[in-house]
């Protein structure tokens, strides 16, 4: 046990935690510093400085001891206990000035409030160990029971003190009482832990005593019964059984409901209780087993370390609080057993060999967890790829059994984001899981439900509310516009200025939300919102992080405004708050080639002047895209592509087999009725996957052979059918064959891929009665349309020849169109410039490219963010956001970095990493070291 | 007499270092192509990521979102290693038949050495920053600098040790 006095331990116990603590607090300070006043900042600097001094002194002391080859002195324990306890106490006392209550909670890192205590606790515990070792000489006169009696008498005395003495003690003011109480509590806890640890030490180190002969008497309760009782108590097992909420996973200090916690606890208890005879083979096996379960013991010590000072309170309050001390007791016993094994085996094996065994065995459980998490990562990445960025040429076969388990694990780890009391997360392991599997992000419940719908045909329990429902009492009361013609680019730069007034009398502070369609070829290049009569311009940010910050700032009732693409060309504008009778002013800058009309809340706004420009007939080309104006489209040749039926048969779990024969007969009757266009007809069998056959194949047999499983993933089937018509001479007429359209999984509308098949605006549901019920592809596809819709047998499109073998078919309407020269292409940052209309066109082409090839969307997503930042033009992956203060911007930047780092290392252009070499001081120091070494050598020689 | 001859070499070494330092002070990224290009070429081989050279900015690795420019050239390391190894070799060698060639050889040898170690440093920084970015999200510079310090010290020390204890010692003993 004397090894514990080796000063190198202090590097791990004190120096390392202080460094990590510094980094965490520095990160926190950079985010909230703009919200702090001078006094707060002074406290931050003061506490930071004191901690730096404490850490530096400790480090110097360690270096001194290592150089002098000395052990850690008992005086160190006294000094460090006094200094660090005072530090924690003062930190806690000034906590409300260090992190004032007005700082929004979402800007503060999880657990930062307890992190000072948690990070400095190892030093305190280590100091206690030293004291115990120093004051427990190896003589048989010490008795463990006596020490436990001393320990127990402290909470007992405290109990009597609080019940009897304190109510009579009203001499000083309340503030003084609190101080006295806290100081006594700290001293009491120290003494309690001292005697407790001392008792355990005497117990395990006693040589000729009764305790050594009857080890099992105390080992079995401590190593087997207490851990299981502790786990059951933590998981509130009895209460859950009585109340009947057994399936809910939560616990007092975290969710330890997983069966493995119990299994390993029992194995750990057994290997610690097993006798240690002098058989070499048996002993090495025992050493390996004990080393394997040591990671489990260390894990629980780390989990309970921050709560150690509260154990005395828990004993007072609940009686079961002593179970909190179990990890500490087991840790001491475990270390002792490992030491004993090590010293025994040292005579048979080399020290190095034993250390390697210890190290490798220690990492068995963490490695097992990591492998399991990596499997989860693989399966979830594959699933997300299949849904959100599929490679249409690839055959996917996702292991649904494993996926189900993985989703359960993700949901378990999501919990309520509480790691402390009554949390549903597993301390440390959840953080590790989130980092390793989800790149510190999260999988929203909406996405989890969507995956479950696709692979397990799970029905929606709760419909997620539409967040963009306009408030009728908040209206636009004034619109001004200003269009300037930019002769260098030959484009219009127009500002739309809106004044929005709240006429609402009801309680609460409402939000203004609206959606409007941005015509093709228009790009948003700036945005402002007035906050406290000051025009604040928006900053471009990655869309997900911008929406996250917007929702957070909304919750704290600050003044954000956001502008982002909802789908295809639909843009959403949200402003919060607009109090009663308040007028908020906002403005959007739009770059456009031709004069356009934009409708916002039924207000038609005309931008630009057709008399001043003469470029509407022009075709504008970039390296990868072509812009065809409405005038130019009038000159193109009208043609008819060949239609064909594409039946999409529901073969999902929810499809009732008894109806299938009827529906198949209906298909046959349609084939019979429209014989002329059934020659090239196709049929897709749709469940979680889409399998497409020609109607001339023996499709009926294939339907009979299929097993009905998974959800009816119609979204994928329609998307594939529409994309199949891109640049082809035929187009599909989609007929959906299902007994119930509510089975259909449709994520959003198909307006983004309408360019692939401009003739197709509707698909038809073949009902059991044989009717064809229309559904719009452009707007709310799930909804049945009541209007009469003709099957588009003879629709016209416009033929645009990019080259002789590359023909794109454009919609026959008065709107302009964008044509891709190539499906996929690379853009260099040099091709993008600020507020440049052509850069907007290039980005739009990139966006369209990833619609055709979702497998490259991850790369394009990152490039689009980068190019949006360069060009200051908003695109579907970015958002214009106005924030009230610098702290919000900092928090958003942090989130943005986290999100962008989600899949790979590529960050926006502004934050390119320089692989900087060490600073000048390093070279100077190195030179000095070399000079000293040479000098020493020179003198020696 | 020998000492005087050695002193001349030390003057040459010192002069070369001063020239290098002056050059580094006044040059820009474009002038450091001879250092940066082989480094980036090696990083490309290690990581499999392509780069483009952006005038005045440096070598941009798009996949790694990383730029290698003047601040990462490794010229400081070249100077230090040249100084250390030149000093070491010159004080150990008695015969001076090919003295100019020796200095030139050390100069070129340390150039190759610094290119190799610098490319390794950049590669290690990329690897490490991927693992620790959740802790150092705002301070990736710390990772790069710390990696640089460890790698430079390690390789300088290791090479010095090998050179001093093995090669030169044998050579010295054989000659004496």
């Amino acid at each position: 046990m004397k090894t514990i006095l080796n000063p190198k331990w202090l590097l791990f116990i004190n120096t390392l935690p202080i460094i990590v603590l510094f980094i965490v607090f520095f990160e926190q300070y950079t985010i909230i510093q703009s919200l702090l006043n001078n006094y707060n900042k002074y406290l931050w600097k003061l506490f930071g400085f004191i901690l730096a001094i404490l850490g530096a002194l400790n480090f110097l002391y360690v270096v001194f001891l290592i150089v002098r080859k000395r052990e850690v002195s008992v005086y160190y324990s006294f000094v460090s206990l006094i200094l660090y306890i005072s530090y924690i106490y003062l930190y806690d006392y000034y906590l409300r000035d260090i992190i004032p209550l007005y700082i929004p909670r979402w800007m503060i890192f999880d657990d930062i409030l307890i992190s000072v205590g948690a990070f400095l606790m190892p030093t305190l515990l280590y100091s206690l160990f030293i004291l115990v070792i120093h004051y427990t000489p190896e003589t048989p006169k010490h008795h463990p029971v006596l020490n436990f009696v001393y320990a127990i008498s402290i909470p007992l005395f405290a109990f009597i003190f609080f019940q009897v003495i304190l109510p009579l003690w009203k001499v000083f003011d309340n503030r003084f009482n609190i101080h006295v109480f806290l100081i006594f509590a700290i001293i009491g806890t120290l003494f309690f832990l001292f005697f407790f640890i001392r008792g355990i030490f005497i117990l395990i180190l006693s040589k000729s005593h009764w305790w050594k002969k009857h080890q099992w008497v105390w080992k079995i309760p401590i190593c087997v019964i207490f851990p299981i009782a502790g786990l059951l108590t933590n998981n509130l097992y009895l209460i859950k059984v009585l109340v009947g909420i057994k399936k809910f996973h939560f616990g007092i200090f975290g969710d330890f409901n997983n069966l493995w916690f119990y299994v390993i606890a029992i194995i750990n208890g057994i290997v610690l209780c097993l006798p240690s005879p002098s058989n070499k083979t048996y002993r090495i096996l025992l050493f390996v087993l004990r080393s394997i379960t040591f990671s489990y013991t260390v894990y629980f010590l780390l989990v309970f370390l921050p709560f150690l000072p509260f154990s005395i309170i828990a004993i007072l309050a609940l009686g079961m609080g002593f179970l909190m001390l179990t990890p500490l007791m087991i840790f001491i016993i475990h270390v002792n057993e490992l030491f004993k094994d090590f010293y025994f085996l040292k005579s048979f094996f080399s020290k190095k060999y034993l250390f390697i065994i210890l190290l490798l065995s220690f990492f068995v459980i963490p490695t097992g967890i990591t492998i399991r998490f990596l499997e989860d990562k693989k399966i979830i990445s594959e699933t997300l790829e299949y849904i959100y960025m599929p490679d249409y040429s690839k055959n996917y076969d996702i292991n649904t059994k494993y996926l189900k388990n993985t989703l359960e694990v993700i949901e378990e780890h999501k919990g309520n984001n509480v790691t402390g009391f009554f949390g549903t997360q597993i301390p440390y392991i959840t953080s590790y899981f989130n980092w390793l599997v989800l790149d510190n992000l999260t999988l929203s419940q909406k996405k989890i439900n969507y995956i479950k719908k696709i692979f397990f045909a799970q029905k929606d329990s709760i419909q997620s509310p539409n967040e963009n429902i306009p408030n009728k009492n908040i209206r636009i009361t004034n619109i001004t516009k200003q269009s300037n013609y930019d002769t260098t680019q030959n484009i219009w730069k127009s500002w739309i200025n809106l004044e929005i007034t709240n006429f609402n009398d009801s309680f609460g502070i409402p939000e203004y939300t609206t959606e409007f369609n941005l015509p093709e070829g228009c790009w948003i290049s700036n945005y402002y919102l007035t906050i406290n009569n000051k025009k604040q311009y928006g900053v471009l940010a990655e869309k997900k992080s911008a929406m996250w910050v917007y929702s957070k700032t909304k919750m704290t009732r600050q003044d954000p405004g956001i502008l982002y693409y909802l789908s295809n060309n639909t843009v959403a504008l949200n402003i919060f708050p607009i109090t009663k009778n308040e007028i908020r002013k906002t403005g959007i800058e739009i770059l456009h080639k031709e004069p356009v009309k934009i409708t916002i809340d039924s207000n038609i706004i005309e931008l630009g002047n057709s008399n001043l420009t003469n470029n509407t007939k022009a075709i504008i080309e970039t390296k990868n895209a072509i812009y065809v104006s409405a005038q130019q489209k009038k000159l193109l040749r009208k043609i008819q592509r060949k239609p064909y039926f594409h039946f999409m048969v529901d073969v999902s779990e929810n499809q009732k087999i008894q109806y299938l024969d009827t529906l198949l007969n209906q298909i046959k009757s349609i084939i019979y009725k429209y014989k002329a266009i059934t020659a090239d007809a196709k049929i897709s069998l749709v469940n979680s996957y889409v399998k497409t056959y020609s109607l001339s194949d023996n499709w009926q047999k294939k339907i009979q052979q299929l097993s009905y499983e998974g959800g009816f993933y119609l979204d994928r089937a329609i998307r594939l059918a529409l994309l199949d018509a891109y640049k082809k001479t035929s187009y599909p007429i989609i007929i959906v064959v299902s007994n119930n359209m509510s089975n259909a999984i449709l994520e959003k509308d198909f307006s983004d891929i309408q360019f692939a098949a401009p003739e197709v605006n509707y698909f038809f549901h073949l009902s059991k009665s044989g009717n064809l019920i229309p559904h719009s592809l452009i707007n709310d596809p799930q909804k049945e349309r009541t209007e009469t819709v003709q099957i588009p047998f003879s629709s016209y499109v416009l033929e645009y020849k990019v080259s002789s073998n590359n023909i794109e078919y454009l919609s026959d309407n008065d709107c302009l169109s964008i044509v891709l020269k190539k499906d996929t292409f690379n853009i260099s940052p040099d091709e993008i410039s600020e507020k440049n209309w052509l850069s907007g066109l290039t980005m739009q082409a990139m966006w369209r490219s990833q619609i055709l090839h979702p497998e490259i969307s991850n790369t394009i997503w990152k490039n689009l963010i980068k190019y949006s930042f360069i060009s200051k033009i908003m695109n579907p992956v970015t958002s214009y956001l106005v924030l009230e203060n610098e702290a919000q911007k900092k928090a958003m930047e942090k989130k943005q970095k986290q999100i962008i780092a989600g899949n790979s290392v590529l960050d926006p252009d502004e934050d390119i990493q320089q692989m900087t070499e060490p600073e000048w001081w390093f070279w100077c120091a190195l030179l000095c070291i070399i000079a000293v070494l040479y000098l020493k050598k020179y003198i020696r020689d | 007499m020998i000492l005087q001859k050695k002193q001349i070499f030390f003057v040459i070494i010192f002069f070369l270092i001063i020239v290098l330092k002056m050059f580094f002070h006044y040059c820009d990224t474009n002038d450091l192509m001879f250092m940066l290009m082989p480094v980036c070429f090696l990083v490309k081989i290690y990581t499999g990521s392509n780069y483009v050279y952006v005038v005045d900015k440096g070598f941009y690795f798009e996949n790694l979102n990383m730029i290698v420019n003047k601040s990462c050239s490794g010229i400081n390391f070249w100077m230090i290693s040249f100084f250390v190894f030149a000093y070491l070799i010159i004080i150990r060698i008695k015969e001076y038949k090919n003295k100019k060639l020796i200095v030139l050889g050390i100069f070129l040898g340390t150039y190759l050495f610094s290119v190799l170690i610098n490319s390794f440093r950049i590669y290690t920084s990329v690897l490490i920053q991927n693992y620790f970015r959740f802790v150092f999200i705002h301070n990736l510079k710390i990772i790069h600098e710390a990696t640089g310090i460890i790698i430079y010290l390690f390789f300088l020390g290791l090479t010095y040790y090998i050179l001093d204890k093995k090669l030169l010692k044998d050579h010295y003993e054989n000659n004496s």
Side-chain angles (χ1 to χ4, degrees), chain A residues 111 114 231 234-235 249-258 261 295-296 298-307 369 373 412-413 416-434:
Chain A
D111 303 332
I114 61 158
L231 283 171
N234 175 77
N235 299 335
H249 284 190
F250 63 88
I252 300 170
F253 296 102
D255 174 20
F256 302 123
N257 285 284
N258 194 305
F261 282 111
S295 55
Y296 181 81
V298 171
Y299 169 73
F300 272 99
L301 182 78
L302 289 174
V303 169
F304 280 87
L305 210 55
F307 301 109
I369 292 171
F373 285 177
E412 263 177 42
H413 285 291
N416 57 4
N417 296 323
V418 178
T419 47
F421 291 104
F422 296 101
T424 58
Q425 300 193 343
I426 308 169
Y428 305 119
I429 294 178
T430 294
S431 308
Y432 183 55
F433 178 87
N434 287 337

Side-chain angles (χ1 to χ4, degrees), chain A residues 216-278:
Chain A
W216 290 42
V217 174
W218 53 269
K219 264 193 175 176
I220 289 176
I222 293 176
C223 300
V224 184
I225 299 169
F226 285 3
I228 298 296
L231 283 171
L232 289 171
T233 313
N234 175 77
N235 299 335
L236 304 169
Y237 186 76
L238 269 177
I239 296 170
K240 282 181 193 169
V241 169
L242 288 172
V243 183
I245 51 164
K246 233 175 105 181
K247 67 172 186 171
F248 287 98
H249 284 190
F250 63 88
I252 300 170
F253 296 102
D255 174 20
F256 302 123
N257 285 284
N258 194 305
L259 191 66
W260 280 106
F261 282 111
Y262 292 91
V263 173
I264 302 175
I266 292 168
I267 295 171
N268 191 30
I270 291 169
V271 295
L272 289 178
C273 291
L274 283 174
S276 308
S278 307

Side-chain angles (χ1 to χ4, degrees), chain A residues 914-941:
Chain A
Q914 281 188 37
M915 290 294 144
T916 321
E917 285 186 285
E919 302 261 7
W920 62 269
W921 56 261
F922 166 72
W923 302 110
C924 292
L926 192 62
L927 263 178
C928 290
I929 292 168
I930 291 166
V932 169
L933 287 175
Y934 276 140
L935 205 66
K936 276 178 90 174
K937 208 179 177 98
Y938 181 72
I939 293 163
R940 200 172 60 229
D941 291 347

